[in-house]
Amino acid sequence: MKEKFSVTGMTCAACSAGIERAVSRLDGVEKVSVSLMGECMTVEYNAQTLSREKIIQTVVELGYGADKYDENVLKERKPQPDRLKKRFFASLLFLLPLMYFSMGGMIGLPQPNELIGTTLQMIFALAVIIIDFKFFTSGTKALFKRVPNMDTLVAMGSGVSFVYSFVFTILLYCGKLEHAHMFYESAAMILTLVTLGKWLEEKSKRKTGDEIEKLIKLMPNTVTVERNGQQSTIAFSEIAVGDVLIVKQGEYVPVDGKIIEGHAFLDRAAITGESMPIEAGEGDVVTGADIVKSGFIKILAEKVGAETTLSRIVKMVKDAGASKAPLQKIADKIAGIFVPTVTLIALFTFVIWLAVTKDLPKAANYAISVLVISCPCSLGLATPVAVMAATGKGMSLGILYKDAEALQKAKDINCVLLDKTATLTIGKPTVTDFELLNGEEEDILKIAQAIESHSNHPIAECVRDFVLEKIEQNNYLVEEYSYEIGKGAKAKFQDRSYYLGNRRLLNKIEDKKTFEIEKRYSLQGKTVVFLANDKEILAFFAIADTLKKESLFAISELKNRKIRLGMLTGDNENVAQAIAKEVGIDDYFAEALPEDKAQAVERVRSVGGFVAMVGDGINDSPALKAADVGVAMGNGTDIAIESADIVLSRGDLRLVSKMIDLSKATVRNIHQNLFWAFFYNCVAIPVAAGVFAFAGLTLNPMIGAACMSLSSLFVVTNALRLTRFGRENKNEEMKENEMKKTLKIEGMMCQHCVAHVTKALQGVNGVSFVEVNLKKKIAVVELSENVEDSVLTAAITEAGYEVKKIS
């Protein structure tokens, strides 16, 4: 079976490597993986030969905390007690007087006689050791279990310094020596500086998970629920499927569900990264962490607990942060043998210097310096802190990497294959063109809408939506409605027959004319729906699945990165060609079945392509699996999301280029961290061992301890730079949104009103684009420069209408 455990108390890669080795030695363990940053351990074991309790006991015996992993991903991280902070300041309290008595004489400060001074130094050093005794207990346990860690090195460095000094202090008391060089200040300084480094490192490491914590904190502690007609307040954890929840302005939606009453503008930035609020009403779906910017809604809870979108996203990001990137493997191997190797180097250093110089204090100084300057932490933290920072940042942008390997691989993408439907396009048919041939426009539209109101066909739905945007109310009713599969619908209105469908439905009515129209629009990838009576064609609708507004920009961004592009679609040649031409993709594959898409991926891979497949449907799953990196649109099917390595939570194609850029930034950051970790240890250990003493370059243990602490801090701080990724783009998006305004307008009744409002707004200086929606009674304006709300309001008022709200 496979089980996850939480592990606390780890400080370096040697700790996690040691736990892995100890647990892997247990009978029945098949595989074990420990995450330093995720503070967790995953074990695959035979439950018949090994118990959960034995695994936990093994970890506890090493000096760490262990327990069964809490699967509640929405549980807020407990505030950590400031133990390290308190230990540092308590150590500093005793270190300062110790430094006075050990070094004050060098700058002429008054000192007691040597015996009293040495005794005071011993007392203060012992106090610091007692305060920081955790290093000794942890380091000793790990040593006896044959899994030495960083605490072992620190304990050895400080312990050897103290014992050495204590022995010479006894000799001083016994009169065997008149003077001796003591290392009490080194023993205390090592512990104090390492504690400071650990405190600062812990603060920085916790910042890498801040993006996840921000999401978790969005969940309210209590919610208002309506049961049996009565409203009451219950705890968030008590929400059950089927509950009716009340969400007011300014409150967060607690779970996934459907609006059963009310209307609101929802901010979905927390989940999708989309900064513009969207309008939602009865029947619309909402997700946990949406915030009601204005309005009031009642929600029927459909998914709660671990099933909500928010829970799944947080779990995905936490799992990715705890996973290991391929780059980490070499660092883990080195960290596993690091402590024993450093201990041997320190021992050789002591023996060689003692043999060469016959100077015991000097030999001890070099040996202790080697112990405390070496740092397995920077080596072990190089990859996981960068991965955690990047996955957290990716989540805030709407990019969900399922594991660290996917995060690393995305940087190598040189070819992106794109599904068409719901990836490049909106995913639903819309009326792109309408042409009136005979009759009055309003009558014709009302007849079309009356006929289509009897059908639930997607094309019927888009015709109805198109008409309702142009006409406020329709009281026309048709009779004798019938539908012919593959052709369209027939009905009677005021005793006259009407036909709404393709050419085959029209019984040769104006056949040559309809043929020409159909041919013209089919070359554009559009489907034509005709409305005719018994004698003539009255009008036609051209229908297509149109491009998403962000697709053109997304393709342009990928081209700028010299990435080869291709489109795979099950649609016919004309549709595929039209969309490919419109979006600027040269290579496309039309009428592709699921296996054809997978084969297309393999063909590109066989000629050296590192392929990312972007799709959203069940038919894309084979290709997503076959690709080097499978990318699923967050608005797609569960099967597609399950098959992918990366999920774009808001289904925005522009995130593909950001996904690649973030991967490159992360791997670059990891390389910097690993270079620093290797470079630091390769240079610092020889310097500490006195290799460059002939050139006057030496270190004492205190400086060594400071360098060791700073090296870890450098790695963590460098990784934190990833949390600033995309900040420039975000500022640009904010500016873009500031240049767009939505006006709620009262008084519009018909298309003439729409024309008046459009003309009034177009006449305002600074307005570059106007779109008016009669059904929703709103006007969206895009501005080329800042225009005051009062100016827009005045223009609408002058046209004879009333502005209710501007957002």
Side-chain angles (χ1 to χ4, degrees):
M1 66 179 292
K2 186 176 182 179
E3 195 163 5
K4 200 170 183 180
F5 301 85
S6 61
V7 180
T8 57
M10 294 185 292
T11 56
C12 66
C15 297
S16 56
I19 293 172
E20 282 185 1
R21 287 203 302 274
V23 174
S24 64
R25 293 183 193 133
L26 296 174
D27 289 337
V29 172
E30 297 165 7
K31 186 179 179 182
V32 58
S33 176
V34 179
S35 170
L36 174 63
M37 289 298 296
E39 295 184 327
C40 62
M41 172 178 68
T42 305
V43 185
E44 292 181 25
Y45 65 98
N46 186 338
Q48 294 179 341
T49 58
L50 183 64
S51 67
R52 176 194 302 155
E53 290 71 24
K54 179 61 178 174
I55 295 172
I56 291 174
Q57 182 187 344
T58 301
V59 177
V60 171
E61 286 176 355
L62 293 175
Y64 307 99
D67 206 344
K68 193 173 185 308
Y69 191 78
D70 187 353
E71 295 292 345
N72 181 8
V73 294
L74 293 184
K75 192 175 182 179
E76 279 192 48
R77 187 168 56 187
K78 291 180 181 177
Q80 292 289 309
D82 290 331
R83 291 197 191 98
L84 289 170
K85 179 181 177 182
K86 291 174 182 175
R87 273 172 48 188
F88 166 68
F89 283 109
S91 301
L92 193 64
L93 191 66
F94 291 98
L95 178 66
L96 292 175
L98 170 58
M99 297 301 292
Y100 174 85
F101 290 115
S102 64
M103 296 185 172
M106 298 179 185
I107 55 174
L109 294 175
Q111 297 284 309
N113 65 56
E114 186 170 3
L115 200 59
I116 295 173
T118 301
T119 303
L120 289 171
Q121 288 181 49
M122 180 184 69
I123 292 169
F124 288 128
L126 186 61
V128 174
I129 288 173
I130 291 170
I131 291 167
D132 294 309
F133 202 66
K134 174 72 175 171
F135 287 114
F136 293 88
T137 55
S138 172
T140 305
K141 280 183 181 179
L143 184 62
F144 282 123
K145 290 287 182 178
R146 292 179 297 155
V147 285
N149 55 22
M150 191 200 76
D151 289 351
T152 307
L153 290 178
V154 173
M156 287 173 64
S158 178
V160 169
S161 299
F162 185 84
V163 171
Y164 172 91
S165 303
F166 182 74
V167 170
F168 276 83
T169 300
I170 298 298
L171 293 175
L172 203 62
Y173 268 108
C174 296
K176 301 290 185 181
L177 294 172
E178 292 184 5
H179 174 76
H181 180 78
M182 302 296 178
F183 286 104
Y184 284 127
E185 78 285 354
S186 295
M189 181 68 86
I190 289 167
L191 296 174
T192 305
L193 287 177
V194 173
T195 301
L196 172 63
K198 277 177 170 286
W199 171 40
L200 296 175
E201 180 187 316
E202 184 65 25
K203 284 182 68 176
S204 298
K205 279 199 297 186
R206 291 185 74 79
K207 285 182 181 179
T208 62
D210 279 354
E211 295 291 351
I212 301 174
E213 286 301 305
K214 286 176 188 174
L215 260 189
I216 293 173
K217 287 177 180 176
L218 296 181
M219 290 297 93
N221 294 321
T222 60
V223 297
T224 304
V225 64
E226 186 178 283
R227 291 173 177 168
N228 301 320
Q230 298 292 318
Q231 292 188 13
S232 60
T233 301
I234 63 170
F236 171 73
S237 58
E238 294 176 10
I239 301 172
V241 173
D243 278 342
V244 175
L245 307 174
I246 313 298
V247 188
K248 302 172 185 175
Q249 183 172 333
E251 295 180 346
Y252 284 93
V253 174
V255 295
D256 294 2
K258 186 179 289 184
I259 298 174
I260 58 173
E261 186 182 323
H263 176 273
F265 280 91
L266 301 175
D267 183 346
R268 291 188 161 163
I271 298 294
T272 66
E274 184 62 55
S275 53
M276 285 293 288
I278 64 157
E279 191 175 5
E282 191 173 326
D284 289 332
V285 173
V286 293
T287 56
D290 289 351
I291 183 171
V292 177
K293 300 296 283 185
S294 65
F296 163 91
I297 51 177
K298 285 186 181 180
I299 300 166
L300 179 66
E302 295 181 335
K303 291 181 180 179
V304 301
E307 297 301 313
T308 64
T309 302
L310 179 63
S311 293
R312 288 162 59 197
I313 288 175
V314 170
K315 184 179 186 301
M316 193 183 296
V317 175
K318 282 190 172 182
D319 287 347
S323 63
K324 292 186 178 183
L327 278 172
Q328 194 174 340
K329 291 175 183 176
I330 186 170
D332 283 351
K333 287 179 181 177
I334 293 171
I337 60 169
F338 189 89
V339 176
T341 303
V342 168
T343 305
L344 286 173
I345 293 172
L347 185 60
F348 281 132
T349 300
F350 178 78
V351 171
I352 292 169
W353 276 105
L354 186 62
V356 172
T357 64
K358 312 297 183 187
D359 187 337
L360 185 60
K362 181 178 281 189
N365 183 77
Y366 286 129
I368 294 167
S369 295
V370 169
L371 287 173
V372 297
I373 203 169
S374 52
C375 184
C377 287
S378 57
L379 199 59
L381 289 170
T383 301
V385 289
V387 168
M388 184 162 278
T391 51
K393 186 61 189 178
M395 181 190 65
S396 70
L397 294 171
I399 306 165
L400 305 177
Y401 300 93
K402 286 193 176 178
D403 54 40
E405 186 176 359
L407 173 61
Q408 182 178 326
K409 287 195 301 183
K411 76 173 185 356
D412 297 319
I413 293 169
N414 57 25
C415 176
V416 175
L417 299 180
L418 300 149
D419 173 47
K420 179 190 79 69
T421 306
T423 300
L424 282 165
T425 63
I426 293 171
K428 58 179 289 188
T430 55
V431 175
T432 58
D433 303 90
F434 170 73
E435 189 170 331
L436 180 69
L437 301 177
N438 293 290
E440 291 292 328
E441 179 176 316
E442 188 170 335
D443 285 336
I444 298 302
L445 289 174
K446 284 183 176 182
I447 292 169
Q449 195 272 335
I451 295 172
E452 296 293 38
S453 65
H454 289 267
S455 173
N456 58 4
H457 192 284
I459 288 181
E461 186 180 339
C462 79
V463 170
R464 285 201 307 269
D465 290 344
F466 174 77
V467 173
L468 290 174
E469 280 186 9
K470 290 180 168 290
I471 297 172
E472 183 67 15
Q473 290 183 332
N474 183 12
N475 55 3
Y476 283 17
L477 296 173
V478 296
E479 300 171 335
E480 298 181 25
Y481 172 87
S482 64
Y483 178 75
E484 292 188 30
I485 297 173
K487 295 182 179 180
K490 293 189 291 185
K492 282 192 174 183
F493 176 70
Q494 294 179 350
D495 295 325
R496 193 164 190 181
S497 295
Y498 289 90
Y499 305 87
L500 187 63
N502 57 33
R503 279 180 63 239
R504 290 188 294 162
L505 182 72
L506 304 181
N507 297 323
K508 304 289 185 179
I509 299 170
E510 297 190 64
D511 196 47
K512 185 176 179 181
K513 185 176 185 179
T514 56
F515 175 78
E516 292 295 331
I517 293 171
E518 196 169 71
K519 182 181 178 181
R520 184 169 79 248
Y521 281 97
S522 66
L523 292 174
Q524 301 174 33
K526 297 177 181 179
T527 300
V528 180
V529 175
F530 296 97
L531 177 62
N533 57 27
D534 290 322
K535 295 180 179 179
E536 59 188 357
I537 305 298
L538 303 174
F540 66 85
F541 303 84
I543 295 168
D545 181 9
T546 55
L547 280 177
K548 292 179 180 177
K549 61 181 180 181
E550 62 266 17
S551 291
L552 285 169
F553 180 80
I555 296 302
S556 173
E557 285 289 291
L558 290 169
K559 283 184 173 180
N560 290 340
R561 288 163 176 74
K562 308 298 181 187
I563 292 173
R564 183 183 171 189
L565 296 165
M567 185 184 77
L568 308 176
T569 177
D571 275 329
N572 63 52
E573 176 72 20
N574 285 341
V575 172
Q577 186 180 46
I579 291 294
K581 184 178 180 181
E582 186 178 356
V583 82
I585 295 177
D586 297 325
D587 300 317
Y588 64 90
F589 185 178
E591 299 178 20
L593 298 172
E595 56 267 32
D596 296 328
K597 293 183 178 183
Q599 289 168 9
V601 170
E602 294 293 353
R603 282 199 299 273
V604 177
R605 292 184 67 197
S606 68
V607 293
F610 198 88
V611 181
M613 173 67 197
V614 186
D616 73 302
I618 294 173
N619 62 333
D620 299 317
S621 299
L624 290 171
K625 281 286 189 185
D628 295 291
V629 180
V631 183
M633 307 298 273
N635 55 349
T637 64
D638 288 343
I639 293 176
I641 291 171
E642 192 67 31
S643 302
D645 303 299
I646 301 169
V647 179
L648 308 181
S649 67
R650 71 172 184 257
D652 187 341
L653 205 56
R654 291 174 296 184
L655 294 177
V656 175
S657 55
K658 287 185 181 179
M659 170 194 86
I660 297 170
D661 291 346
L662 180 55
S663 172
K664 288 180 177 179
T666 304
V667 173
R668 185 165 57 247
N669 192 282
I670 291 171
H671 284 155
Q672 291 166 354
N673 286 346
L674 287 172
F675 172 79
W676 167 255
F678 282 115
F679 175 79
Y680 166 80
N681 282 295
C682 289
V683 172
I685 291 174
V687 171
V691 171
F692 303 103
F694 67 90
L697 183 58
T698 60
L699 295 173
N700 64 42
M702 292 181 290
I703 296 174
C707 290
M708 189 266 277
S709 297
L710 288 172
S711 68
S712 297
L713 197 59
F714 172 86
V715 166
V716 175
T717 306
N718 187 48
L720 280 174
R721 292 191 304 115
L722 289 169
T723 61
R724 299 177 60 85
F725 176 87
R727 190 159 289 186
E728 292 180 5
N729 291 337
K730 191 169 183 180
N731 290 336
E732 287 175 11
E733 285 179 17
M734 288 173 65
K735 287 179 184 176
E736 185 181 320
N737 290 328
E738 286 171 4
M739 301 300 282
K740 186 184 287 187
K741 294 187 178 184
T742 302
L743 292 76
K744 189 78 174 176
I745 301 171
E746 281 293 328
M748 293 192 296
M749 304 296 291
C750 61
Q751 289 300 311
H752 295 295
C753 300
V754 170
H756 290 153
V757 169
T758 302
K759 186 176 180 181
L761 290 171
Q762 285 176 339
V764 176
N765 288 331
V767 173
S768 57
F769 175 79
V770 178
E771 183 178 11
V772 180
N773 188 312
L774 177 62
K775 183 181 177 183
K776 295 182 179 178
K777 297 190 182 301
I778 62 170
V780 178
V781 294
E782 291 182 7
L783 310 173
S784 58
E785 59 186 66
N786 187 40
V787 178
E788 295 294 332
D789 291 354
S790 57
V791 176
L792 296 172
T793 302
I796 297 297
T797 304
E798 190 176 333
Y801 305 95
E802 183 184 357
V803 176
K804 287 291 188 180
K805 184 180 178 182
I806 298 181
S807 58

